[in-house]
């Protein structure tokens, strides 16, 4: 099918690239003409595993193209994916002005009827407003715009794999023909008839994804309800960690045993510095805002947010307790990205830690395999090191802020020889306290003695 993607951010690019790789013809556009120029020149503006490879192969096969002219992109597709940003306002409410702007563009530029699909994460009832806006802005009464909601459940770092091997594809529609069109768009994925860019050879056996057809309001709610629940799970594990510290229990033992119950599940029970990124913090905020507006009490989500913010305070208490005076201390910060396998630093807990260290007058040496370039733009005053052992030279402490495998595998015997003080404060529970103490380190982590 011929598809348009509006917004070449993270979600738009992954969606466009994967649908082109699955065999569709995709035209992408963005208001940022520099981004389009970069894409046209073969560049990839974000780091995501496999994305460069599939963008190159789709480009070569002429299945993906980029234009700064939104009208051209809109006219090219029978179905249009809206993938623009919906950032939080100060109140927590999602800012939907980009969606409104795109609705105006579609209504003005389309020459034929379109299926308009919201891929951006939006609060429930946005589809209804979008439908109304498209009708109101259209000057051609003969054109029909059908709206659908198709939330994404992509994790940064594994987004391409997630797109091709989803647990579920949710489509919220207002009529059966929209559901049929979306089923056709996702047919290669439902039938597993694509060439998988993630797995060399055959993909591991797995169940077929469920194709769920719902109302638009339900689809929108599914996305916020899912992400908020995962955030809630993380905060729950973090409160258990606080309790473990008071009682003298081990949070890793507790959450491992909890997770073995299939009704609970072991994922997203990892205690530490808490969640960050561009999805969880803003989705939780937007869901709190939406429920309050609907007159529904969602206090557990407010607690989820509060617990998550407290993680930084708790981490800093540990730093202060260990270092006593922070001013003038040489501190190595390991990990800047909001999680491993991404260069994304938006709402990264590590950056909150860095900010506070700087406020207190510490000398910060940082290392991260992907996120240093982006962080440099915000914090030029840090000392950056590709080699983590260089960051540790003469350090008074090492702080673990992101769960990168390269930090998991650090040789602490080697590190200990170059550090001024053998002190590790681990915000992601990467190491076992006994092993670190055996190596002669003072070691502090979350929810363990
Ligand atoms: C998330 C959702 O997983 C995805 O389905 C949705 O579409 C977008 O939002 P993402 O933001 O890429 O994806 O990150 P995710 O892997 O979910 O991790 C979110 C944050 O939670 C990270 O900061 C991570 O470090 C933290 N986390 C995760 C924990 O602190 N503990 C855990 O047990 C799991």
């Amino acid at each position: 099918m011929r598809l348009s993607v509006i917004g070449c951010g993270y979600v738009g690019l992954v969606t466009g690239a994967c649908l082109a790789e699955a065999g569709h013809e995709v035209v992408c556009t963005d208001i940022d003409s520099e981004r389009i120029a970069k894409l046209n020149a073969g560049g990839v503006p974000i780091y995501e595993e496999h994305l460069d490879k599939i963008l190159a192969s789709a480009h070569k096969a002429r299945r993906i193209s980029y234009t700064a002219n939104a009208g051209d992109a809109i006219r090219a597709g029978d179905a249009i994916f809206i993938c623009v940003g919906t950032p939080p306002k100060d109140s927590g409410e999602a800012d939907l002005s980009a969606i409104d702007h795109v609705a105006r563009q579609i209504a003005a530029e389309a020459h034929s009827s379109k299926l308009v699909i919201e891929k951006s994460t939006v609060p429930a009832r946005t589809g209804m407003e979008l439908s109304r806006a498209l009708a109101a802005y259209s000057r051609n009464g003969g054109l029909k715009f059908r709206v659908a909601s198709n939330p994404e459940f992509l994790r940064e770092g594994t987004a391409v794999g997630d797109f091709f091997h989803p647990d579920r594809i949710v489509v919220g529609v207002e009529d059966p023909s929209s559901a049929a069109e979306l089923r056709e768009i996702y047919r290669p994925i439902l039938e597993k008839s694509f060439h998988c860019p993630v797995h060399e050879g055959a993909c591991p056996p797995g169940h077929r994804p469920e194709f769920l057809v719902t109302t638009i309001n339900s689809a929108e709610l599914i996305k916020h309800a899912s992400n908020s629940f995962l955030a809630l799970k993380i905060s729950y594990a973090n409160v258990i960690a606080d309790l473990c510290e008071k009682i003298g229990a081990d949070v890793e033992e507790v959450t491992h045993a909890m997770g073995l119950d299939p009704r609970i599940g072991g994922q997203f029970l990892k205690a530490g510095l808490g969640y960050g990124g561009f999805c969880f913090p803003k989705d939780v905020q937007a869901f709190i805002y939406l429920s309050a507006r609907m007159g529904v009490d969602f206090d557990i989500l407010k607690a989820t947010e509060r617990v998550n913010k407290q993680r930084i305070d708790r981490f800093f208490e540990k730093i202060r307790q260990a270092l006593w005076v922070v001013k003038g201390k040489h501190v190595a910060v390991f990990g800047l990205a909001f999680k491993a396998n991404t260069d994304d630093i938006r709402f990264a807990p590590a950056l909150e830690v860095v900010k506070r260290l700087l406020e207190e007058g510490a000398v910060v040496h940082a290392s991260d395999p992907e996120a240093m370039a982006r962080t440099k733009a915000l914090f030029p005053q840090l000392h950056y090191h590709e080699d983590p052992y260089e960051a540790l030279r003469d350090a008074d402490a090492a702080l673990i802020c992101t769960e990168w495998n390269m930090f998991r595998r650090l040789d602490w015997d080697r590190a200990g020889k170059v550090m001024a003080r053998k002190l590790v404060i681990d915000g992601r529970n990467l190491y076992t306290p006994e092993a670190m103490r055996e190596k002669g380190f003072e070691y502090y982590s979350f929810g363990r003695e």
Side-chain angles (χ1 to χ4, degrees), residues 248-253 412-413 426 429-445 447-449:
D250 181 328
V251 72
E252 297 298 325
E253 289 176 354
W412 285 102
D413 288 322
D426 182 355
N429 287 8
L430 296 194
Y431 317 110
T432 48
E434 296 75 24
M436 290 304 280
R437 284 181 197 134
E438 259 169 40
K439 289 180 191 298
F441 277 86
E442 287 172 76
Y443 177 74
Y444 304 97
S445 58
R448 303 182 298 178
E449 293 203 299

Side-chain angles (χ1 to χ4, degrees), residues 166-316:
D167 308 306
R168 76 284 208 207
I169 294 170
V170 175
V171 300
V173 294
E174 47 191 9
D175 63 352
S177 71
S178 304
E181 215 166 309
L182 276 151
R183 188 183 284 276
E184 185 55 27
I185 292 171
Y186 283 105
R187 194 163 50 83
I189 288 161
L190 292 166
E191 294 177 357
K192 294 190 180 287
S193 60
F194 54 86
H195 172 255
C196 181
V198 177
H199 305 105
E200 294 300 332
C203 300
H207 58 89
R208 281 182 186 273
E210 293 239 13
F211 187 78
L212 300 172
V213 181
T214 69
T215 62
I216 296 178
N217 279 338
S218 294
E220 290 166 339
L221 206 63
I222 287 166
K223 170 68 195 241
H224 269 143
S226 302
N227 270 5
S228 297
F229 186 75
L230 292 172
L232 173 85
K233 242 184 131 179
I234 297 170
S235 281
Y236 189 90
N238 279 324
V239 178
I240 299 289
D242 288 348
L243 209 49
C244 283
E245 286 180 22
K246 298 276 184 216
I247 289 172
D250 181 328
V251 72
E252 297 298 325
E253 289 176 354
V254 176
T255 52
H256 174 68
M258 283 170 64
L260 291 178
D261 181 336
R263 291 169 304 174
I264 297 174
Q267 294 188 53
F268 286 74
L269 277 182
K270 188 86 185 145
L273 266 175
Y275 60 80
F278 202 58
C279 290
F280 282 5
K282 89 172 163 72
D283 289 357
V284 169
Q285 267 182 28
F287 212 30
I288 291 171
Y289 185 90
L290 175 82
S291 40
R293 232 186 61 197
M294 295 295 141
V296 172
D297 177 355
F298 216 151
D299 268 0
I300 44 172
L301 269 194
K302 289 186 200 151
T304 296
E305 208 182 24
R306 193 175 61 241
V307 168
N308 197 56
K309 286 193 177 131
Q310 281 167 356
R311 293 309 92 197
I312 312 290
D313 301 331
R314 295 264 187 283
F315 195 56
F316 228 80

Side-chain angles (χ1 to χ4, degrees), residues 101-123:
H101 174 71
V102 168
R104 200 179 277 277
Q105 279 184 320
I106 295 173
E109 300 285 353
H111 290 168
S112 59
S113 296
K114 306 280 178 192
L115 175 62
V116 179
I117 306 158
E118 315 164 333
K119 195 80 178 158
S120 310
T121 300
V122 290

